[in-house]
Amino acid sequence: DSGVTQTPKHLITATGQRVTLRCSPRSGDLSVYWYQQSLDQGLQFLIQYYNGEERAKGNILERFSAQQFPDLHSELNLSSLELGDSALYFCASSVDGEDTEAFFGQGTRLTVV
Amino acid sequence: GENVEQHPSTLSVQEGDSAVIKCTYSDSASNYFPWYKQELGKGPQLIIDIRSNVGEKKDQRIAVTLNKTAKHFSLHITETQPEDSAVYFCAASNYGQNFVFGPGTRLSVLP
């Protein structure tokens, strides 16, 4: 168990809908990362937060947004969902987001039908 | 931006043999290189990492080497066991920002 908690574990929704994925980082970790892993695809970096502020942005679609709250949990919002958004979404956390280990949660499997 | 290549994409070895997975990166500013193991239905698990001021690091049956000049790093697993079967990902990052992952290597250890 990495100590990173993601909810829900599974999510099935229809095209055009909006969903929110939640991540609780390990105790003491200030930085949160979000990744997307499609079938047979590698891990695509979406966005990183550090202590509530956005630190780095990757290939995140405009339909997607994220934030990190004062209690350091983070949410990834996916809107106007398309079939191609079906994937595993992982959250990872690290102590300071600089040159330190990042630990992954178990992921949320999103299926868009 | 950073680009990480990883080879081979699949690797089959006999139990007890060694396995080597190689990665190359493009951004000379990258200074942290972790390796993750992902089993079916689970999140990636950090197994070993190396920083740019170190050339080699070992942890029991697992070792990682880094050649900064050539911009490549490798994972070595000795005395492989069936439970080593998984997908392995290398990654590179610059001070913990924007970890860029390789495409992964599916390792199968045959009994």
Side-chain angles (χ1 to χ4, degrees):
Chain A
D1 183 4
S2 67
V4 178
T5 303
Q6 287 188 249
T7 56
K9 286 188 169 49
H10 302 278
L11 197 50
I12 301 175
T13 190
T15 54
Q17 295 298 303
R18 171 189 169 96
V19 297
T20 297
L21 313 184
R22 183 188 170 101
C23 170
S24 294
R26 293 187 320 155
S27 177
D29 285 0
L30 298 178
S31 190
V32 169
Y33 307 80
W34 284 97
Y35 288 86
Q36 180 192 58
Q37 186 176 41
S38 302
L39 194 63
D40 294 330
Q41 295 287 316
L43 289 150
Q44 300 296 315
F45 170 70
L46 296 178
I47 198 163
Q48 181 199 6
Y49 281 84
Y50 173 75
N51 204 21
E53 299 291 326
E54 181 183 307
R55 172 170 275 187
K57 213 167 191 175
N59 299 322
I60 187 166
L61 300 173
E62 283 191 13
R63 300 184 285 109
F64 296 179
S65 65
Q67 59 184 60
Q68 186 179 28
F69 294 87
D71 67 352
L72 301 177
H73 91 272
S74 178
E75 292 181 356
L76 178 67
N77 299 297
L78 315 176
S79 61
S80 302
L81 285 166
E82 302 174 359
L83 295 178
D85 298 326
S86 296
L88 269 168
Y89 290 84
F90 287 104
C91 165
S93 73
S94 70
V95 172
D96 60 8
E98 290 187 5
D99 194 24
T100 54
E101 301 92 335
F103 295 88
F104 280 75
Q106 294 296 298
T108 293
R109 181 174 292 281
L110 173 67
T111 303
V112 182
V113 297
Chain B
E2 176 67 276
N3 181 52
V4 177
E5 296 184 355
Q6 184 173 346
H7 299 280
S9 56
T10 60
L11 179 59
S12 293
V13 299
Q14 289 294 133
E15 183 178 354
D17 287 350
S18 295
V20 180
I21 303 171
K22 299 182 178 182
C23 288
T24 60
Y25 62 98
S26 61
D27 188 352
S28 56
S30 290
N31 62 352
Y32 175 62
F33 307 92
W35 286 88
Y36 287 85
K37 174 183 180 183
Q38 187 176 23
E39 296 173 320
L40 196 63
K42 296 186 177 181
Q45 175 192 6
L46 179 70
I47 56 171
I48 196 167
D49 57 14
I50 192 166
R51 289 171 173 79
S52 57
N53 58 345
V54 175
E56 183 173 354
K57 183 176 178 180
K58 211 170 186 177
D59 182 5
Q60 299 183 336
R61 297 186 297 108
I62 295 174
V64 57
T65 58
L66 171 65
N67 182 327
K68 281 210 73 180
T69 304
K71 296 203 200 70
H72 66 69
F73 56 114
S74 300
L75 176 71
H76 304 252
I77 306 173
T78 58
E79 300 171 22
T80 53
Q81 301 166 2
E83 51 265 38
D84 294 328
S85 296
V87 179
Y88 291 80
F89 292 96
C90 62
S93 97
N94 181 359
Y95 289 101
Q97 293 189 30
N98 190 7
F99 285 85
V100 177
F101 283 79
T105 296
R106 184 174 300 278
L107 173 64
S108 299
V109 180
L110 309 173

